[in-house]
Amino acid sequence: MRFLLSLAALAACLSPARAAEPAKAPNVLFIVSDDLNCDLGCYGHAVVKSPNIDRLAASGVRLDRAYVQYTVCNPSRTSFLTGLRPTTTKVMDNATHFRKTLPDAVTLPELFRKNGYEAIGLGKVFHRGLSPDDAKKEMDDPKSFDRVFYGKTTAAGNKGEGRNLTGGALAWCRWLAAEGADSEQADGQLADEAVKLLGEKREKPLFLAVGFYRPHDPFQSPKKYFDLYDNSKFDLPKSPDGYKPPYPLSLGGGAFNDAFAKFTDKERREFLHAYYAGVSFMDAQVGRLLDALDRNKLAENTIVVFLGDHGYELGVRSWWNKNTLFERSCRTPLIVRVPSAKGNGKATAALAEFIDIYPTLADLCSLKDVPKQLQGASFRKLLDDPTAKHKGAALTVVKRGPVMGRSVRTEKYRYTEWDEGKKGAELYDHTADPGEWVNLADSPEMAKTRGELSALIKATESGAKQ
Ligand SMILES: [Ca+2]
């Protein structure tokens, strides 16, 4: 009898006790790519080669309708890293540091630190300058990371074949098929550093943010990534005859429009080529991070999030930039892989906003002291059930000088108001017009819908239930 009891006690000691151990806090690998739109294999693009992001999507959940809250670097990053709308952060340009307007905000990586994580930031996580080489250190946020590393393209990596597509009219519009290996480029060095970090033993759970600089300009990548594409095969973007955007795409028409209007097909092909080479180069670095997770047996306890900081028009409406309130700028890649999530390998069409990423990660990692003022909502349920609904509207804003543009996306419509409609409005029916070419805002039969969508902008911004 005693012997039997001992055996039972021993059994109780083994399996049930082990099952009752608190789960190990998951690591988080948070990958941001700069100016990346949804032109990726896994999002259905026929030309772009992104095998590594595709394999992440195949093993995680791809959000097909995820929208940023601002379509420029600093305001968007500030928004998703603080979990607040740009109208709350008041950061709507690339020069304002959020600590000026929100000194006490607790950023996403900062919250992980407060919860016992080691948080490391590589590359452009918060905003930097145009490239790592002219990066603005004053945009750093020391509260957010235990450690940062930015990388710097070497002299050899800055050599190669290329040119400025505007003949110098715009300083940034240049491409380079660079000599040398990936590690001559800052993004290659970020991956080197991340691979090294993922191979180290550590006591604390890790929040590792890796902010790749590509495909943002300068459109510079090792030549082998340019060699993946034959640009004579690209379809060039076309607008319907006589099309004019209802509201100017930039302030006062400006140098951008003048330069883009002079592009020949040759320049358009080169632009697409250089951007896509940058996507493939960045994708290869993502692959190295995923391989490092597998090699170090970390994949089973690491949440991977992959996102762009906003989309990119890439020649649609003859606009070779971002900063619009059209779908191509607002809709942005977002893939989340939580080990053992039931939805892994599937996509969700549920609407989501990038301010939802912060509360989702806080939820998934059971973080404590989550700031009460967060304006997004956890989409955790989508990761187990991609057919579920999350929210009814996604709101994106941009500022054009003193004029504020606000654009709401529902399942069916995109509706945009400039200066609360006083300077114009745009209404697109996505079921009939996914390209957003036909503005229905002034059509009498849409008056009721327009009124409802106008109210939805206000309700979404103020946080009323959608
Ligand atoms: Ca950007």
Side-chain angles (χ1 to χ4, degrees):
M1 189 65 182
R2 233 171 127 183
F3 175 67
L4 284 176
L5 271 176
S6 306
L7 264 187
L10 185 64
C13 253
L14 287 172
S15 48
R18 182 163 292 189
E21 267 177 27
K24 214 174 150 208
N27 302 304
V28 177
L29 175 59
F30 186 88
I31 308 169
V32 190
S33 170
D34 201 0
D35 284 18
L36 179 72
N37 67 14
C38 289
D39 289 358
L40 295 169
C42 57
Y43 278 88
H45 199 274
V47 169
V48 172
K49 293 185 169 70
S50 53
N52 296 290
I53 299 166
D54 298 353
R55 83 170 137 119
L56 176 65
S59 58
V61 174
R62 189 186 77 225
L63 286 90
D64 276 353
R65 285 180 176 170
Y67 294 89
V68 293
Q69 274 50 80
Y70 201 108
T71 53
V72 176
C73 304
N74 189 39
S76 176
R77 288 164 189 260
T78 295
S79 172
F80 66 70
L81 289 166
T82 62
L84 301 171
R85 296 188 184 281
T87 41
T88 302
T89 66
K90 310 288 183 208
V91 173
M92 301 204 212
D93 57 41
N94 276 344
T96 305
H97 194 299
F98 68 91
R99 291 288 177 203
K100 282 190 197 138
T101 56
L102 294 165
D104 300 323
V106 178
T107 69
L108 177 66
E110 189 182 352
L111 185 66
F112 273 94
R113 285 184 81 192
K114 284 172 183 276
N115 277 268
Y117 277 69
E118 183 175 6
I120 301 176
L122 307 181
K124 182 173 173 175
V125 181
F126 289 95
H127 181 57
R128 317 261 315 138
L130 260 187
S131 75
D133 304 340
D134 53 15
K136 293 180 178 173
K137 291 244 184 328
E138 63 265 31
M139 301 309 280
D140 282 3
D141 182 51
K143 282 185 178 177
S144 287
F145 292 113
D146 294 288
R147 195 139 64 88
V148 292
F149 170 82
Y150 294 122
K152 187 171 169 56
T153 300
T154 65
N158 280 322
K159 283 189 197 153
E161 184 201 345
R163 66 170 182 138
N164 183 312
L165 293 170
T166 65
L170 301 177
W172 59 268
C173 226
R174 62 189 196 273
W175 65 268
L176 185 87
E179 294 174 6
D182 292 6
S183 297
E184 305 287 348
Q185 306 293 322
D187 276 353
Q189 295 162 14
L190 299 182
D192 292 343
E193 187 68 14
V195 167
K196 195 178 88 190
L197 288 165
L198 292 171
E200 290 172 0
K201 289 257 178 292
R202 64 189 69 243
E203 288 302 308
K204 292 179 170 183
L206 178 65
F207 180 92
L208 177 59
V210 185
F212 290 117
Y213 299 99
R214 293 288 93 82
H216 196 296
D217 62 82
F219 305 112
Q220 173 170 334
S221 305
K223 183 176 178 295
K224 66 178 171 182
Y225 298 101
F226 283 78
D227 293 344
L228 293 173
Y229 300 96
D230 172 358
N231 76 25
S232 71
K233 303 247 167 71
F234 295 168
D235 287 331
L236 294 175
K238 281 193 184 70
S239 300
D241 288 346
Y243 174 80
K244 271 180 101 173
Y247 195 80
L249 295 171
S250 67
L251 275 177
F256 279 27
N257 279 332
D258 295 345
F260 299 155
K262 286 181 189 151
F263 278 178
T264 62
D265 280 358
K266 180 175 189 309
E267 274 122 23
R268 293 186 187 103
R269 289 184 189 285
E270 284 180 35
F271 198 118
L272 291 172
H273 192 169
Y275 182 94
Y276 292 158
V279 174
S280 292
F281 171 42
M282 177 275 298
D283 175 83
Q285 310 316 306
V286 171
R288 295 178 60 206
L289 308 193
L290 299 178
D291 290 345
L293 287 181
D294 291 340
R295 197 167 51 245
N296 295 296
K297 305 201 173 1
L298 291 168
E300 283 158 28
N301 195 39
T302 300
I303 295 169
V304 183
V305 183
F306 176 85
L307 59 148
D309 67 341
H310 50 75
Y312 207 82
E313 297 292 335
L314 216 50
V316 174
R317 295 175 177 77
S318 302
W319 187 243
W320 295 85
N321 207 263
K322 59 252 185 171
N323 200 13
T324 79
L325 288 174
F326 291 109
E327 189 80 355
R328 293 268 292 173
S329 283
C330 302
R331 178 174 172 249
T332 307
L334 177 59
I335 299 164
V336 181
R337 184 174 82 185
V338 176
S340 76
K342 293 189 191 76
N344 283 348
K346 295 180 183 150
T348 176
L351 287 168
E353 297 183 290
F354 271 45
I355 51 170
D356 301 333
I357 296 170
Y358 187 147
T360 302
L361 282 174
D363 184 8
L364 288 166
C365 299
S366 307
L367 301 188
K368 295 189 173 65
D369 299 323
V370 180
K372 299 271 183 293
Q373 67 269 29
L374 294 187
Q375 291 175 301
S378 170
F379 55 70
R380 182 180 189 161
K381 66 174 180 288
L382 298 178
L383 305 175
D384 282 322
D385 179 9
T387 63
K389 290 253 190 284
H390 172 54
K391 50 173 48 173
L395 183 67
T396 308
V397 303
V398 300
K399 241 182 150 192
R400 294 279 157 74
V403 173
M404 190 78 192
R406 291 175 169 84
S407 188
V408 73
R409 180 72 158 87
T410 64
E411 283 202 13
K412 188 167 184 196
Y413 296 107
R414 171 171 297 289
Y415 175 64
T416 303
E417 288 185 346
W418 298 97
D419 195 14
E420 299 183 351
K422 293 192 277 290
K423 295 250 190 308
E426 300 172 43
L427 174 57
Y428 304 103
D429 178 348
H430 265 262
T431 50
D433 178 28
E436 303 173 329
W437 300 110
V438 183
N439 181 12
L440 304 171
D442 294 323
S443 113
E445 59 268 33
M446 297 304 286
K448 182 165 171 282
T449 300
R450 180 176 167 174
E452 289 164 0
L453 291 167
S454 183
L456 187 59
I457 287 179
K458 291 185 181 67
T460 306
E461 191 167 294
S462 70
K465 264 260 179 272
Q466 294 161 23

